[in-house]
Amino acid sequence: MADLSIAALVKQTAAAFSQAGIDSPELEARLLLQHVLGLDHVGLILDWQQQPDRAMQERFAALVKRRLGREPLAYIVGEREFWSLPFAVSQDVLIPRPETEWLLEQALAHVRGAQIGHALDLGCGSGVIAVVLALELECKVTAVDCSQGALQQATLNARRHGVADRLNLLCGDFFAVLPANVRYDLLLSNPPYVAAPEMEQLEPEVREYEPHLALYGGKSVFDAIARISRQSGDVLLPGSWLFLEIGANQAEAAQHLFITAPHRYEEVGVLPDLAGRPRVLRARLVA
């Protein structure tokens, strides 16, 4: 292996990533090298013409090989930025996405100024929703996931951002593990909502590495959303808001589930994301 400068390593790696069809190849090359060298963006630029030692270059080459195999960058470095904060991720959880930031933005805009004492996050994964709610609303949050591995990541992130004392993490199947005597002021969820035919069309990074349990919506696509529509009224306080991330082609069907739900909901609607695609279902339990 030739000793190369940081600039040469980035150029060489970006070319390989581009040939492999990886988006933003130069950015990914830089981020991967920053991770290996323990540098931030500024530090990398300041050392642009420096040559990392042989051990560092070998470690970098090993990680590049993993990325060329389409393993997501976030899993390789063990972290993804969300809400301008670093969150630990592993293959036990979905990689946080801008769509979920939009879900949070819409929920927070609707409840701003309201007294939120206790929020609920169903299918919490890495805990990004629960942590942000605890930080922004300074409230208690109960977060549920059926994966112990996911809850381990959520625990790490709650501790990292100083809200572990406000989070109650429960392992189980959505409503089945919730305490019987507790009612919530707000419910958020990014439930599984990808249809079976769509699973095969996903990028290799998603299809081959991210947990199918958190992606696949079931034979009817709406299994998780339908359960939330049926059972959320049992755990929400009257007048409380509910927000769900949904697929871009699911607006009409998702709204119908809440309009015809056993409990009465008002202000049922779907909010578009910044690209104009239906993305967030909102509903308010009738007071």
Side-chain angles (χ1 to χ4, degrees):
M1 177 186 291
D3 289 328
L4 300 175
S5 67
I6 285 175
L9 284 168
V10 169
K11 182 179 180 180
Q12 175 181 282
T13 304
F17 284 172
S18 179
Q19 187 174 5
I22 293 171
D23 292 336
S24 305
E26 183 172 341
L27 175 61
E28 292 224 0
R30 290 188 186 205
L31 291 173
L32 195 56
L33 194 50
Q34 285 173 210
H35 170 70
V36 170
L37 300 177
L39 298 172
D40 59 13
H41 175 68
V42 174
L44 193 75
I45 298 305
L46 290 175
D47 287 352
W48 199 237
Q49 298 303 329
Q50 299 299 313
Q51 291 184 351
D53 65 33
R54 185 62 60 88
M56 286 292 187
Q57 292 200 39
E58 289 177 352
R59 183 180 173 214
F60 178 64
L63 298 189
V64 167
K65 183 177 180 181
R66 289 170 61 183
R67 186 65 188 102
L68 287 171
R70 304 306 288 267
E71 182 176 351
L73 179 68
Y75 290 153
I76 294 172
V77 303
E79 188 173 282
R80 169 58 67 90
E81 182 178 291
F82 182 90
W83 211 257
S84 299
L85 298 170
F87 281 87
V89 295
S90 72
Q91 290 190 32
D92 292 304
V93 302
L94 290 181
I95 297 168
R97 290 168 167 78
E99 291 86 349
T100 305
E101 288 195 336
W102 184 248
L103 168 73
L104 275 160
E105 288 177 16
Q106 298 309 300
L108 291 171
H110 276 74
V111 304
R112 192 71 69 187
Q115 185 63 43
I116 304 296
H118 200 163
L120 175 62
D121 174 13
L122 294 175
C124 67
S126 61
V128 291
I129 290 175
V131 168
V132 171
L133 288 177
L135 287 170
E136 296 289 341
L137 298 176
E138 298 184 351
C139 65
K140 293 188 295 184
V141 183
T142 291
V144 181
D145 204 289
C146 62
S147 165
Q148 285 284 5
L151 291 175
Q152 289 174 4
Q153 296 299 302
T155 299
L156 288 174
N157 288 317
R159 291 172 179 166
R160 184 175 196 172
H161 297 298
V163 295
D165 60 332
R166 288 184 235 158
L167 263 60
N168 179 29
L169 298 170
L170 301 175
C171 187
D173 189 20
F174 276 13
F175 299 96
V177 293
L178 296 178
N181 60 341
V182 178
R183 295 293 179 268
Y184 304 91
D185 304 289
L186 176 66
L187 188 158
L188 267 72
S189 180
N190 177 16
Y193 59 75
V194 179
E198 296 171 336
M199 292 289 288
E200 291 304 313
Q201 300 169 15
L202 295 172
E203 290 292 322
E205 287 88 343
V206 180
R207 186 180 65 248
E208 297 175 17
Y209 288 96
E210 296 201 58
H212 285 197
L213 186 65
L215 288 165
Y216 179 47
K219 292 181 180 179
S220 72
V221 182
F222 294 103
D223 286 356
I225 297 173
R227 288 183 56 206
I228 294 172
S229 72
R230 291 193 306 268
Q231 297 180 261
S232 54
D234 294 327
V235 301
L236 286 172
L237 288 166
S240 298
W241 282 101
L242 169 153
F243 296 86
L244 307 180
E245 185 177 324
I246 63 171
N249 61 348
Q250 298 172 351
E252 184 177 346
Q255 287 179 93
H256 179 73
L257 287 171
F258 282 87
I259 291 169
T260 59
H263 297 85
R264 287 182 59 211
Y265 284 92
E266 59 187 357
E267 299 187 59
V268 177
V270 172
L271 306 168
D273 60 21
L274 293 175
R277 295 167 299 197
R279 185 57 63 190
V280 174
L281 180 137
R282 72 164 189 213
R284 191 172 193 175
L285 187 65
V286 172

